[in-house]
Amino acid sequence: MKESLDIKFVSDVMCPWCVVGLGNLNKALEELDSNVSVEMTFEPFELNPDMPPEGQNTQEHIIEKYGISEEQSRQNREMITARGKEVDFDFNFTNDSRMRNSFDAHRLLHWAQTEGKQAELKAALFKAHFTENLDISDFNVLTNLASAVQLDPEVAANILASDQFAEDVRQQEQLWQQSGITSVPTAIINNKYAISGGQPVATFKQAIEEILEKEKISE
């Protein structure tokens, strides 16, 4: 009999380490496939909730936010690009790459969960932002991405044009902040255990195996 795992993946679509972390988590779960049955949901977290509509140049933003040099920023991008390839993801950082406000993307992800398409939309948002350098704060872009994963584009457009799910997203974000989460990605397992950061596959696998063992003992 398979063990059940409830995984809440707290992340932001602006976060490159969330791409890496999710890719490695999924690979770890594939290796454990015969032992576990997984229910995964994607929980909202905004790295830059005050990001203006026009966004900000990515390199400029990283240098300002973290106080690093241009050379350190370049090295970080090269490292993330390499880690992305390990999970079959293409980061395409350019001089024109921009950070965007992700709140409306999180509203659509909240809706997508009710439609059983959250994982697909999450993947589409990551690819649109990091590979295709699209503006995922733009309503037309978001509507097209929803349509591409077989979500109703008319419903998506209506959600975006209103404030639907805005309060739900804010409440979820506040819940995770109050739970002590200050960085992403963070995977919450069975509402008890937290695994933070873009960990390697082996680290995720070992942590999940230890959690499964603890859950058996506590039964």
Side-chain angles (χ1 to χ4, degrees):
M1 181 177 173
K2 289 189 175 185
E3 298 292 331
S4 295
L5 282 181
D6 174 86
I7 301 178
K8 293 179 172 62
F9 193 80
V10 186
S11 59
D12 190 3
V13 290
M14 291 291 110
C15 165
W17 287 110
C18 293
V19 178
V20 173
L22 179 60
N24 284 335
L25 174 58
N26 282 331
K27 282 178 178 285
L29 292 171
E30 286 173 14
E31 293 183 13
L32 294 164
D33 181 59
S34 60
N35 299 322
V36 296
S37 172
V38 179
E39 170 101 18
M40 189 185 300
T41 56
F42 296 94
E43 302 291 323
F45 190 100
E46 290 177 86
L47 290 171
N48 304 291
D50 299 320
M51 183 64 67
E54 68 273 15
Q56 184 182 14
N57 178 274
T58 298
Q59 178 170 289
E60 176 186 297
H61 174 80
I62 296 299
I63 289 171
E64 276 184 17
K65 184 171 183 177
Y66 299 106
I68 61 176
S69 67
E70 286 190 22
E71 177 60 19
Q72 288 172 313
S73 176
R74 183 189 63 77
Q75 290 174 351
N76 287 345
R77 291 196 300 274
E78 288 179 355
M79 178 175 61
I80 291 168
T81 300
R83 291 289 298 275
K85 291 191 181 303
E86 294 173 4
V87 293
D88 307 313
F89 188 89
D90 291 324
F91 286 103
N92 178 29
F93 295 111
T94 73
N95 292 333
D96 298 321
S97 294
R98 297 186 77 76
M99 300 294 288
R100 301 290 183 179
N101 189 296
S102 59
F103 185 74
D104 291 311
H106 286 300
R107 287 201 294 133
L108 268 199
L109 282 165
H110 185 92
W111 166 60
Q113 182 184 348
T114 68
E115 300 292 320
K117 290 286 185 179
Q118 197 184 34
E120 291 89 343
L121 182 59
K122 186 77 166 181
L125 285 162
F126 277 147
K127 182 179 179 182
H129 176 61
F130 286 112
T131 305
E132 300 170 348
N133 281 301
L134 296 177
D135 178 0
I136 62 167
S137 67
D138 182 275
F139 286 2
N140 288 330
V141 171
L142 288 171
T143 300
N144 289 337
L145 291 174
S147 180
V149 297
Q150 283 74 57
L151 286 164
D152 189 325
E154 186 174 345
V155 175
N158 288 337
I159 289 169
L160 292 167
S162 70
D163 64 353
Q164 192 172 359
F165 304 125
E167 192 55 36
D168 300 90
V169 170
R170 290 191 184 99
Q171 286 179 359
Q172 285 179 302
E173 289 179 334
Q174 188 174 29
L175 170 67
W176 297 119
Q177 289 166 1
Q178 290 173 344
S179 299
I181 293 176
T182 57
S183 64
V184 287
T186 298
I188 309 296
I189 314 290
N190 289 355
N191 295 312
K192 296 181 188 176
Y193 313 95
I195 308 172
S196 298
Q199 301 294 342
V201 175
T203 302
F204 274 121
K205 185 178 179 183
Q206 181 181 350
I208 291 169
E209 287 173 333
E210 290 174 359
I211 288 167
L212 291 171
E213 198 59 38
K214 288 178 183 176
E215 295 287 272
K216 282 182 186 176
I217 292 170
S218 64
E219 285 177 359

